[in-house]
Amino acid sequence: MSMRPSKRDAVADAEEAVSANQCANSRGEDVVDIETVHPNYKDDKPNEEQSEIIKGFQKIAKDSNQSNKMLKFPPIDHTKPLNEYDSTEQVFVNAYPWLFPGGIGDVYDPIRGKVKDIYEWAKHLLRFHDGRFLQDQLFVLYVFNMLQRHLNNTQGNFFFKDKNFLGRNPPTVEELQEQIRQGDFSYINKLRYLAKGIRGSDSFWRGKTEELEAWIDFHISRGNGPPTHFATLSCAENWWPDLRRLMIKLERQRGDRDQVRLLEENDFTAMCKSARRFTVYVNDFFMKRSRVFLDTVVKNAMGIEHYWARVEFAPGRGQIHLHLLGIGKDKSYLNDFYRAKTEDEKAK
């Protein structure tokens, strides 16, 4: 649908067009396409009618005392790509204008400046009350990728600034390859140690493996014994009444009355839809539920006081689950364990 404001009253027509566009979007309808001119496109000049539209928007901004906060239209000439690491660039406002109405909320703002903590900024957006940031999968993936790269860069600084651990003259790639061919992994091990803070990396999981082995050795040395239980906690997000009540609250904040009604009627399809829409809250709910379960049922009924767990996400539907190693109170099995002379006998 295309709306062309007439020349009779440019200000009134502009206000009407914006109002219709916002209302259509809030109801989930097709967004009204307002035909206008691209201010950053050098070869296209506004005609008389388009000039009146632009003046109308400028008058609205002036009357509302927002003239210094007008959103610049994203550039399209691509002659100068935006630099993500430039603290004065509004990358997100330009890339996702539908998520930042009015050009407000980017990492950098001309009036506010740059946010102090980019991680808290991302967390705030993903938990915004209407859920629009969380539902935009491309936005979520880009934010996660950006945060990961920023973290990697901060971790990488240690490789070059640490003179005592890595040395003043680190080896070149060719020298490092020659060291590996000769069986010398001393420098590689140093890099792995420094890189274990980068989540998801090979060094990160190697560090977690060493952490688990140290945890087992510690409890054996303290007389608690090795792990005796292995358990997996799965997420039944479509069946938990408490989570359904949370989804109803979130959908009500979002303004989706039809979805609220379906959830109150225990509609299974609606619950699946809300669980996919608010995955961050589903994950938080699962972790809180798991902690309560471990501190009550597992500890009191099963007698497991010490445990080590790893959180994973299913490759199919992508839902959260948890694998756990636990050490029970009953140590009668230790007599046979310590008498065993082979690994097979210990396993029995």
Side-chain angles (χ1 to χ4, degrees):
M1 179 179 178
S2 179
M3 296 184 61
R4 285 179 174 268
S6 64
K7 298 180 182 179
R8 57 180 178 84
D9 190 342
V11 175
D13 286 345
E15 292 176 339
E16 182 180 352
V18 173
S19 177
N21 193 38
Q22 292 176 339
C23 291
N25 192 26
S26 64
R27 293 193 299 268
E29 301 174 359
D30 293 336
V31 178
V32 180
D33 180 19
I34 305 175
E35 185 173 325
T36 183
V37 63
H38 198 304
N40 292 326
Y41 192 63
K42 300 178 181 179
D43 297 334
D44 190 7
K45 296 182 179 180
N47 55 35
E48 182 180 354
E49 183 177 2
Q50 291 171 335
S51 298
E52 291 296 323
I53 297 174
I54 294 174
K55 290 179 182 179
F57 280 114
Q58 289 174 343
K59 187 176 187 307
I60 294 174
K62 183 178 180 180
D63 294 342
S64 61
N65 196 26
Q66 298 291 318
S67 58
N68 60 336
K69 298 182 181 179
M70 292 192 67
L71 172 64
K72 295 182 179 180
F73 205 90
I76 61 172
D77 54 11
H78 304 295
T79 58
K80 183 182 178 182
L82 295 178
N83 183 4
E84 177 185 292
Y85 293 92
D86 187 345
S87 60
T88 63
E89 292 281 12
Q90 291 187 288
V91 177
F92 288 91
V93 165
N94 286 318
Y96 305 94
W98 56 89
L99 297 179
F100 298 89
I104 300 173
D106 207 319
V107 175
Y108 170 79
D109 185 84
I111 298 177
R112 181 202 64 216
K114 188 176 181 179
V115 296
K116 296 181 179 179
D117 190 333
I118 192 173
Y119 298 96
E120 289 298 322
W121 169 83
K123 182 179 178 181
H124 173 74
L125 293 186
L126 293 178
R127 297 174 182 273
F128 201 68
H129 68 90
D130 62 2
R132 67 174 185 267
F133 297 97
L134 187 60
Q135 295 173 53
D136 195 307
Q137 295 182 357
L138 186 60
F139 172 81
V140 173
L141 290 174
Y142 177 63
V143 168
F144 177 78
N145 180 269
M146 181 197 68
L147 295 178
Q148 189 70 48
R149 285 185 284 108
H150 278 256
L151 175 61
N152 293 351
N153 287 340
T154 58
Q155 295 287 333
N157 290 338
F158 291 101
F159 298 162
F160 301 97
K161 293 182 179 179
D162 193 310
K163 299 178 181 179
N164 297 322
F165 190 62
L166 294 179
R168 293 181 178 274
N169 298 311
T172 63
V173 175
E174 291 76 13
E175 293 172 344
L176 193 57
Q177 291 174 345
E178 182 61 27
Q179 290 180 10
I180 296 175
R181 280 192 291 267
Q182 295 179 1
D184 183 3
F185 295 93
S186 58
Y187 197 84
I188 290 292
N189 291 333
K190 293 178 181 179
L191 294 180
R192 285 175 175 171
Y193 175 80
L194 291 175
K196 68 180 182 179
I198 302 177
R199 287 183 174 272
S201 65
D202 178 68
S203 299
F204 174 82
W205 291 116
R206 286 176 182 272
K208 289 300 177 181
T209 301
E210 295 172 356
E211 178 184 316
L212 176 58
E213 292 174 349
W215 177 81
I216 295 175
D217 292 340
F218 170 79
H219 283 289
I220 291 178
S221 66
R222 295 295 297 269
N224 297 323
T228 56
H229 296 77
F230 176 82
T232 298
L233 305 183
S234 301
C235 181
E237 71 280 4
N238 299 322
W239 304 97
W240 288 332
D242 293 337
L243 184 58
R244 179 181 294 272
R245 286 191 286 270
L246 176 60
M247 293 295 108
I248 291 175
K249 181 179 179 180
L250 292 171
E251 293 289 2
R252 184 174 288 116
Q253 290 179 350
R254 184 172 174 268
D256 194 337
R257 298 180 180 179
D258 293 336
Q259 184 71 0
V260 170
R261 176 180 56 80
L262 292 173
L263 288 173
E264 292 176 341
E265 295 174 356
N266 294 327
D267 185 275
F268 181 79
T269 303
M271 185 61 191
C272 295
K273 181 179 179 180
S274 294
R276 290 193 300 269
R277 176 177 291 165
F278 298 102
T279 53
V280 170
Y281 295 92
V282 173
N283 294 341
D284 286 348
F285 182 87
F286 172 80
M287 292 305 299
K288 291 180 180 179
R289 184 183 178 96
S290 298
R291 291 190 184 98
V292 173
F293 179 76
L294 293 173
D295 293 339
T296 55
V297 177
V298 171
K299 182 177 181 179
N300 299 327
M302 301 178 64
I304 298 178
E305 292 186 339
H306 310 287
Y307 58 84
W308 192 96
R310 167 176 168 168
V311 175
E312 295 181 353
F313 293 87
R317 61 194 182 102
Q319 201 49 269
I320 189 172
H321 60 279
L322 184 147
H323 298 302
L324 177 144
L325 283 175
I327 300 176
K329 287 183 179 180
D330 186 6
K331 299 181 179 60
S332 59
Y333 68 93
L334 290 178
N335 295 327
D336 296 331
F337 179 83
Y338 286 116
R339 288 196 191 100
K341 297 180 180 180
T342 65
E343 293 295 332
D344 292 336
E345 292 178 353
K346 291 181 179 180
K348 294 178 181 180

